[in-house]
Amino acid sequence: MLLYTEVTRYLDFKVTEGSFVYKGGKIYKVPSTEAEALASSLMGLFEKRRFRKFLVYVANFDEKDARTFEGIDPKKTPMREVYKKFDLGQDVIDFTGHALALYRTDDYLDQPCCETINRIKLYSESLARYGKSPYLYPLYGLGELPQGFARLSAIYGGTYMLNKPIEEIIVQNGKVIGVKSEGEIARCKQLICDPSYVKDRVEKVGQVIRVICILSHPIKNTNDANSCQIIIPQNQVNRKSDIYVCMISSAHNVAAQGKYIAIVSTTVETKEPEKEIRPALELLEPIEQKFVSISDLLVPKDLGTESQIFISRTYDATTHFETTCDDIKDIYKRMTGSEFDFEEMKRKKNDIYGED
């Protein structure tokens, strides 16, 4: 998305140094290549061989070539059966589904395997491209993303009014006609906003707990990585949802030299959310200072087609932005009535600039 919109002109990214997964109270590097699978201490000897076979299968898999299916029907065979075929144990299934395919729950096990295989493929290919992990993080932090889009919008004639209080969203005959701020009205035909502006048009579907921790040391057992992503699969801590840890430091220009920032997040499941993230906080000890926030997960009550007020969903607990991207595509579809066509954008670019 960032490449197609060319907002990448205003952003610099740097690779996140490691991708780790939690098992039995410890963290391990996520193995995603044959060599890593054989060297990983996450599995026993025979398990390694089976997992290596599975990775070779995934690497060779091609939706368009039935010879690569090995008796699996990608559109019908559930992922559970594929794991069974390669005789993979529960721990391996946990990290494959949650740390490689990045699923948030285990629902995918009973869905056709095609998407899961493609997700694992994407992970391995991204890793091959970037080396240390498949993740990139913007220099100077995530605030650079909206700033990049603000610049892009300005180039296309967009007007920005920043730090303006919103007094009222003006609706006439059930349709939005403008936004009132400090006595002035900015008129519009369509409005996009987050749930905090329209409390009466959204509903609560859950909560997320986030803890920002400031450390003076890299996280233990990460090989002193300056930045990393850790996923704690739900089954490893008897939960229904994963816990995410994203750690960054001066390497991404977001902290002073020698300081590390770790952000822990998960979906709240009990009356004591702070207890739920204890396994993650234990990995970070000693913690110099922590800031805990619990926020409601809000979603729009309707599609916005009548009022023309299009509301985004609250950010969930994930750290890899997949759900956020889905939400953006969904808002585009609700506003225009059609899917966003990335291929079309590619073609237009080629018309203007020629092929790469």
Side-chain angles (χ1 to χ4, degrees), residues 182-193:
E182 296 175 328
E184 294 177 297
I185 294 175
R187 298 194 174 274
C188 64
K189 289 180 180 160
Q190 291 184 310
L191 176 72
I192 308 172
C193 64

Side-chain angles (χ1 to χ4, degrees), residues 194-305:
D194 84 34
S196 62
Y197 295 102
V198 278
K199 293 279 197 284
D200 55 329
R201 294 175 184 267
V202 294
E203 57 191 346
K204 179 176 162 181
V205 291
Q207 286 185 312
V208 172
I209 176 166
R210 279 189 187 82
V211 184
I212 299 173
C213 304
I214 297 177
L215 323 172
S216 292
H217 57 89
I219 298 172
K220 287 190 224 35
N221 304 324
T222 59
N223 228 341
D224 290 347
N226 281 321
S227 57
C228 65
Q229 153 106 321
I230 303 168
I231 292 180
I232 302 181
Q234 52 188 42
N235 292 335
Q236 293 292 328
V237 280
N238 297 323
R239 290 171 48 78
K240 293 189 200 69
S241 40
D242 296 351
I243 304 174
Y244 298 88
V245 181
C246 169
M247 194 274 280
I248 43 183
S249 64
S250 58
H252 285 88
N253 302 351
V254 293
Q257 207 73 34
K259 295 287 178 197
Y260 300 80
I261 300 168
I263 302 155
V264 178
S265 56
T266 192
T267 308
V268 174
E269 293 178 10
T270 67
K271 293 273 183 290
E272 300 177 277
E274 290 203 45
K275 259 194 188 153
E276 298 181 43
I277 49 152
R278 205 169 277 163
L281 296 181
E282 282 167 4
L283 298 174
L284 307 178
E285 295 292 351
I287 298 168
E288 233 167 78
Q289 204 168 357
K290 61 179 190 191
F291 304 89
V292 181
S293 68
I294 295 171
S295 43
D296 290 344
L297 274 174
L298 303 170
V299 300
K301 284 182 187 167
D302 62 45
L303 298 174
T305 20

